[in-house]
Amino acid sequence: MRLQLLLLLLLLSFSTYGQKQINAIRCNEKITIDGKLQEATWSKNPEFSPFIQIKPEPGKPSKSQTSIQLCYDQDAIYFAFYCQDPPDSISKVLSLRDDYNPNLDIIGIFLDTYNDNQNGFYFGLTSRGVQLDAKIAANDYNDQLNLVWHSAVEIVENGWIAEIRIPYSALRFPQKEVQDWGINIGRQIARLREESSWVAVNPDLENMLLESGDITNLSNISPPLRLALIPYVSTYVDEIRNEDNSKSLLRSFNGGMDIKYGINEAFTLDLTLVPDFGQVVFDQQVLNLTPFEIQFNENRQFFTEGMELFNKAGIFYSRRIGIQAPYKVTQTMLQPNEYLENVPGSSQLYNAFKISGRDSHGLGIGFFNAVNAEQIGTAVSTLDNSKREVLVSPLTNYNVLVFDQNLKNNSSLTFTNTSVWRAGSFYDANVSAFNFNLNTKDNNYNINGKGILSAQLDATNTLGHNINLNVQKQRGALIGGLGYLQESDTYDPNDLGFNYNNNRRIFEASVAYRNFTPKWQHLMKWSMNASFSQSYLYLPNVFTSNMFSLKAFAVSKKFNAFGLNAGTALQPSKDYFEPRTWGAVFTVPQFAFFNYWFSTNYQRKIALDAGASMDIYYNNPWKQYAYNFEPRIRLSDAIFLVYSFEKELQINSLGYAIPFATPVQSYQGILFGKRDRNTTIQFISLDYIVTNRMSLSLRLRHYRSTLKYQNFSILQQDGSLNPLPDFNGLTVEGKSAYDINYNAFTIDFMYRWVFMPGSEINIVWKNAVFSNNDAVNVAYWQDLSGTLQNGALNSFSIKLIYWLDAQQLRKDRSFLPR
């Protein structure tokens, strides 16, 4: 009888655990968002809900109590939280919007409005009233969008109160009488480095939507009219360099508009007309000696917000639109004896729109289209150094179509198609991808993969394919998996995607052990990982490389983290890309690598990230060393400084010799060289948060890389190098045609004032110097001084953005604080 009673109690406890609910109450009065909770709706004594730790002690109760209250009306859903804590212990740190740093006290809402455990919204609020929000898709958080919602914070005797109003126009939910929304609530307590949740979340997956509760009694609400007009005006004063190297000022005035329109309860149209991206931060330029293209981050807001569906297949690289045309396109109009002297940094985007959403059956649909102006560059003749203007990229139309079907157990099927249509004699392109992601019922095991077909449409209509398959155990202490990737030699998604190189087959295997509750008193968690990979060319089917590596990671009870990584190539590698000539191969000596890093507790006013690495090539003088350190200093609750220093040294490295000038001597064959490379990167980030809606931000970066050759060799058919002792690589001026000293110095300074939700004023100053010469022996600080004396180019701009909500314009706005 006792055993039966015990089993019954256990069953009831598990049932209750799986059905955790928050009861929604309909508001019968207007709620003023001021953090005071003076309305009758909030007047009842709040009930404290037990929160369960995710970190640092998974599964244990939170050390501070939190109460949750919820109500709703026809326009919005409201939340009131009472976060218990001694007032002198509550974090007073101000931060930028969407800055998830560990020095903040945060209360966060995870809403799953279709209750599919995969797609949702996150709304967070710090104890200083700074908003955080994100769109959640398959446990990935896109915080680039800034939703329009209202919040307030009040510090009280035994803690702090957060009051939040989320208008339905900020959400997507089905049209039905009774809503079925999933919900979880998370809380971060900075001084304890504690993260906890209302519904317990297992740290082996940390999926706040998969492990969530429900909102009950949310009924008789309708998706509202969602129409927002966001006009902007901007003015620029740019300092430009003329052909005679003199400078002049260029003034401009711009205007345009973004439009957001809810086609129905599920789908939204986002449209940008004559956009202005002049205030985005500089790219982090580097000296690229590889045969592959460099991938940069997308910083244009229209291409970062609401792009979850379009990015799911991994074949959409939005910088192709107006910034980074494929190499093949830029060479189309060149004569055999010409090269491009420069490629414009960007061209005018005429317009772009995207339609995206997900219906009540879990089908996500996305359609994106953009039209971009042509780009003009300068072609230089190698015969007589004459120059002419040349069409680098024509008028181009880009579009992306996506169908993404949610399945049970956090699974999905996705079809994506991208198309590029170019005016004139340029080729067109089309890529189609099918992705699948399947989980077992308990999400312990996963199988995922994709098949992609690329087509470049010209006289030859070149087709290529990509096949990828992965099987893995993803939950529990012991995890691991197997993977296979195959890309044909003709696979090329780079007209609207990004792929470093094709023509490869890769086999991978990995196993890891994780311990989230170690018995050793000094550790909070640790993990170890072992992996092996072996690669081949797709065509011909020949071996290229293999690698075995070990990783270890740990976090101490004092929240200091550290890691080790070591590995070795099991034999010399065969590099078919470095020679830049198809059919040639370079034999890379067998090597081993080792790196170590640590990161101290970010809760301290001064924290430090640092690391060091070393690569050693067997029976070869080629060596590589690198180290970095990054002090993070909280000068006050409103001022945060980060200084980063990185140094990388390559000694006696071997590689294809790229000429930056014309050498006097000639040679026959593929030229390689032994060289030393010295790269230094310094970066300063300074944020001054004036209020929770006003900030000043400074980003300063200096990148310097020098390359100095010792001698040269000719690549042999077997992949070895034959020395070329009589070749010195000098120009007619007696300078090295191959040595280079490259500098990139940039400053981005921004003042931002969000004077009302969705509306802001941005004042930006940008400063940049990009230079290269042969001064490889000049000391670092002397070289920096000389670089700055070359004369920086400056840009000063002011931009006003105003949010006009069509629904709110016709309603009483008395819910806002005065």
Side-chain angles (χ1 to χ4, degrees):
M1 182 67 182
R2 289 183 179 179
L3 179 60
Q4 291 175 328
L5 181 60
L6 177 61
L7 291 174
L8 178 61
L9 289 173
L10 285 171
L11 179 63
L12 288 174
S13 67
F14 282 123
S15 175
T16 303
Y17 173 82
Q19 298 175 0
K20 205 166 185 180
Q21 298 174 335
I22 298 178
N23 185 45
I25 302 171
R26 181 172 282 275
C27 308
N28 295 316
E29 58 184 330
K30 290 182 178 179
I31 305 293
T32 300
I33 305 301
D34 56 9
K36 300 184 183 300
L37 308 186
Q38 295 177 332
E39 292 80 9
T41 303
W42 308 129
S43 62
K44 70 172 187 176
N45 292 326
E47 296 180 3
F48 289 98
S49 300
F51 274 48
I52 306 301
Q53 289 187 50
I54 305 172
K55 301 172 183 177
E57 300 176 286
K60 292 188 177 181
S62 171
K63 295 180 179 179
S64 294
Q65 291 187 311
T66 308
S67 75
I68 307 168
Q69 291 180 279
L70 185 157
C71 72
Y72 69 100
D73 57 24
Q74 280 302 110
D75 300 316
I77 186 168
Y78 303 81
F79 292 87
F81 300 100
Y82 180 22
C83 303
Q84 276 198 346
D85 234 359
D88 59 353
S89 299
I90 298 171
S91 173
K92 299 177 178 60
V93 174
L94 276 167
S95 64
L96 297 172
R97 179 169 180 155
D98 296 329
D99 181 5
Y100 298 81
N101 83 65
N103 294 300
L104 308 175
D105 284 352
I106 302 174
I107 190 74
I109 306 162
F110 301 81
L111 286 178
D112 184 358
T113 53
Y114 284 89
N115 219 347
D116 60 10
N117 302 128
Q118 296 188 56
N119 302 278
F121 300 86
Y122 170 75
F123 300 88
L125 192 63
T126 77
S127 56
R128 293 298 302 271
V130 178
Q131 293 183 347
L132 308 92
D133 51 24
K135 183 74 183 298
I136 308 172
N139 211 28
D140 288 330
Y141 288 69
N142 179 1
D143 60 5
Q144 297 299 311
L145 79 171
N146 288 328
L147 300 171
V148 174
W149 48 290
H150 305 88
S151 58
V153 165
E154 186 80 4
I155 305 298
V156 293
E157 183 179 356
N158 294 315
W160 58 286
I161 291 172
E163 190 174 18
I164 294 173
R165 178 187 189 268
I166 304 173
Y168 298 139
S169 58
L171 303 172
R172 310 290 179 269
F173 56 91
Q175 176 77 57
K176 59 182 183 180
E177 183 177 350
V178 179
Q179 297 294 320
D180 179 23
W181 292 6
I183 187 173
N184 208 342
I185 308 296
R187 184 176 174 189
Q188 175 177 291
I189 304 173
R191 79 178 192 283
L192 301 175
R193 289 298 298 267
E194 179 187 289
E195 295 178 24
S196 60
S197 58
W198 174 61
V199 174
V201 173
N202 198 315
D204 66 353
L205 199 60
E206 283 195 34
N207 191 321
M208 299 292 284
L209 298 185
L210 184 64
E211 298 170 299
S212 60
D214 297 304
I215 299 177
T216 60
N217 297 326
L218 184 60
S219 59
N220 297 315
I221 63 172
S222 299
L225 168 68
R226 291 185 284 113
L227 174 60
L229 308 177
I230 309 115
Y232 81 87
V233 292
S234 62
T235 182
Y236 288 79
V237 178
D238 294 324
E239 187 179 41
I240 61 174
R241 193 181 301 278
N242 303 314
E243 288 189 5
D244 61 0
N245 214 32
S246 63
K247 296 180 182 179
S248 60
L249 295 180
L250 178 65
R251 295 176 174 84
S252 62
F253 183 83
N254 310 294
M257 180 181 293
D258 287 357
I259 300 172
K260 297 179 182 292
Y261 173 61
I263 300 172
N264 57 25
E265 71 272 12
F267 295 94
T268 301
L269 166 68
D270 288 280
L271 172 67
T272 184
L273 301 171
V274 196
D276 172 21
F277 301 124
Q279 290 190 332
V280 298
V281 297
F282 285 111
D283 292 329
Q284 296 191 0
Q285 298 288 347
V286 298
L287 175 61
N288 181 20
L289 300 178
T290 73
F292 309 120
E293 187 179 14
I294 297 294
Q295 184 174 18
F296 294 100
N297 292 332
E298 176 62 87
N299 296 311
R300 298 173 295 176
Q301 186 173 354
F302 182 81
F303 294 101
T304 58
E305 63 176 32
M307 302 300 288
E308 302 82 18
L309 273 175
F310 303 103
N311 292 323
K312 194 165 185 179
I315 60 172
F316 179 47
Y317 180 49
S318 57
R319 285 177 60 96
R320 296 295 182 205
I321 304 170
I323 299 180
Q324 209 169 332
Y327 177 79
K328 183 177 178 180
V329 174
T330 64
Q331 304 299 301
T332 301
M333 303 304 289
L334 294 181
Q335 300 297 326
N337 60 336
E338 288 182 326
Y339 66 92
L340 276 178
E341 182 180 58
N342 63 75
V343 178
S346 63
S347 62
Q348 177 64 51
L349 177 66
Y350 288 140
N351 62 70
F353 72 88
K354 54 195 174 192
I355 298 172
S356 61
R358 191 173 297 274
D359 67 16
S360 57
H361 301 290
L363 177 62
I365 302 175
F367 181 75
F368 170 92
N369 197 86
V371 179
N372 204 84
E374 64 181 23
Q375 286 180 294
I376 303 296
T378 302
V380 181
S381 171
T382 58
L383 300 178
D384 56 9
N385 290 324
S386 61
K387 298 181 180 181
R388 69 181 181 94
E389 284 193 345
V390 64
L391 183 61
V392 174
S393 179
L395 176 72
T396 307
N397 186 89
Y398 305 86
N399 66 59
V400 186
L401 175 65
V402 184
F403 296 98
D404 178 55
Q405 179 63 58
N406 287 344
L407 303 175
K408 290 182 179 180
N409 308 323
N410 205 27
S411 303
S412 64
L413 299 174
T414 308
F415 172 79
T416 306
N417 177 266
T418 68
S419 294
V420 180
W421 305 99
R422 299 184 176 95
S425 59
F426 289 75
Y427 72 91
D428 302 318
N430 187 281
V431 180
S432 294
F434 175 75
N435 297 58
F436 65 91
N437 183 52
L438 305 175
N439 293 295
T440 57
K441 186 175 181 179
D442 52 11
N443 274 250
N444 280 348
Y445 298 92
N446 170 271
I447 179 171
N448 66 81
K450 67 175 69 171
I452 306 174
L453 178 67
S454 69
Q456 292 190 340
L457 308 175
D458 51 20
T460 58
N461 290 336
T462 305
L463 300 179
H465 72 265
N466 168 300
I467 298 173
N468 184 220
L469 180 65
N470 301 283
V471 180
Q472 57 188 342
K473 182 179 184 294
Q474 61 186 3
R475 303 197 69 171
L478 185 65
I479 61 174
L482 300 171
Y484 174 70
L485 170 69
Q486 175 179 295
E487 291 180 346
S488 68
D489 57 317
T490 53
Y491 174 68
D492 189 353
N494 285 339
D495 290 280
L496 194 47
F498 188 95
N499 191 46
Y500 282 103
N501 65 285
N502 55 14
N503 196 11
R504 53 182 175 166
R505 295 190 300 121
I506 304 174
F507 298 87
E508 296 178 311
S510 65
V511 62
Y513 181 79
R514 306 177 295 178
N515 191 331
F516 298 101
T517 56
K519 294 182 179 180
W520 193 34
Q521 61 179 352
H522 297 293
L523 285 184
M524 187 169 66
K525 63 180 179 180
W526 63 271
S527 66
M528 292 193 68
N529 172 279
S531 63
F532 170 79
S533 67
Q534 183 145 318
S535 303
Y536 301 83
L537 285 187
Y538 172 79
L539 189 69
N541 181 22
V542 294
F543 168 85
T544 55
S545 66
N546 53 24
M547 181 68 66
F548 175 76
S549 65
L550 293 171
K551 295 180 181 179
F553 164 79
V555 180
S556 73
K557 289 289 181 67
K558 294 184 177 180
F559 303 99
N560 300 313
F562 54 91
L564 295 168
N565 184 16
T568 182
L570 301 181
Q571 63 190 94
S573 304
K574 300 293 185 178
D575 191 336
Y576 289 84
F577 297 96
E578 181 66 14
R580 272 74 159 180
T581 300
W582 180 241
V585 60
F586 169 55
T587 301
V588 181
Q590 187 179 358
F591 69 96
F593 67 89
F594 173 84
N595 67 62
Y596 168 78
W597 62 268
F598 68 88
S599 177
T600 64
N601 187 352
Y602 281 6
Q603 180 63 22
R604 299 171 182 167
K605 288 191 174 182
I606 300 178
L608 178 65
D609 293 341
S613 66
M614 176 174 61
D615 294 9
I616 297 178
Y617 291 76
Y618 301 152
N619 302 315
N620 195 288
W622 185 352
K623 295 179 176 60
Q624 296 183 184
Y625 305 95
Y627 63 91
N628 68 281
F629 59 90
E630 183 179 280
R632 306 167 61 88
I633 306 170
R634 187 153 38 92
L635 299 173
S636 72
D637 289 335
I639 303 176
F640 184 55
L641 171 67
V642 177
Y643 169 72
S644 175
F645 180 89
E646 298 179 43
K647 171 72 78 172
E648 181 181 353
L649 299 171
Q650 297 180 11
I651 301 171
N652 299 317
S653 67
L654 301 172
Y656 179 80
I658 302 173
F660 300 100
T662 304
V664 174
Q665 295 172 290
S666 61
Y667 56 89
Q668 296 294 324
I670 300 173
L671 189 68
F672 270 59
K674 179 185 288 187
R675 64 226 182 163
D676 295 335
R677 184 173 183 179
N678 186 338
T679 300
T680 304
I681 307 173
Q682 293 194 85
F683 182 80
I684 294 174
S685 170
L686 179 63
D687 294 319
Y688 172 39
I689 317 301
V690 184
T691 70
N692 59 6
R693 290 189 177 185
M694 185 184 296
S695 63
L696 294 164
S697 297
L698 172 70
R699 304 291 182 265
L700 185 152
R701 176 179 181 265
H702 179 230
Y703 171 95
R704 186 203 185 192
S705 188
T706 63
L707 188 71
K708 185 177 181 179
Y709 280 81
Q710 300 177 24
N711 52 57
F712 299 90
S713 301
I714 294 296
L715 182 65
Q716 304 298 295
Q717 287 188 350
D718 63 357
S720 64
L721 298 176
N722 184 32
L724 202 61
D726 296 330
F727 183 81
N728 56 27
L730 299 180
T731 65
V732 292
E733 294 85 7
K735 298 180 179 180
S736 173
Y738 298 89
D739 292 355
I740 188 171
N741 173 40
Y742 177 78
N743 282 271
F745 180 89
T746 58
I747 297 175
D748 292 277
F749 178 80
M750 172 183 280
Y751 165 81
R752 185 186 187 200
W753 175 34
V754 182
F755 56 89
M756 61 180 291
S759 302
E760 59 189 69
I761 293 175
N762 295 322
I763 302 175
V764 172
W765 170 55
K766 300 173 67 176
N767 175 286
V769 182
F770 301 102
S771 68
N772 62 81
N773 53 48
D774 61 351
V776 295
N777 295 318
V778 176
Y780 176 83
W781 293 106
Q782 181 182 349
D783 179 70
L784 175 58
S785 176
T787 298
L788 297 179
Q789 290 175 10
N790 284 337
L793 299 180
N794 293 275
S795 174
F796 178 81
S797 60
I798 302 175
K799 187 174 185 180
L800 169 65
I801 303 171
Y802 199 83
W803 178 285
L804 297 170
D805 189 305
Q807 184 187 29
Q808 200 56 49
L809 287 174
R810 63 186 188 183
K811 289 181 177 262
D812 178 15
R813 302 178 67 184
S814 60
F815 64 84
L816 293 174
R818 297 180 179 178

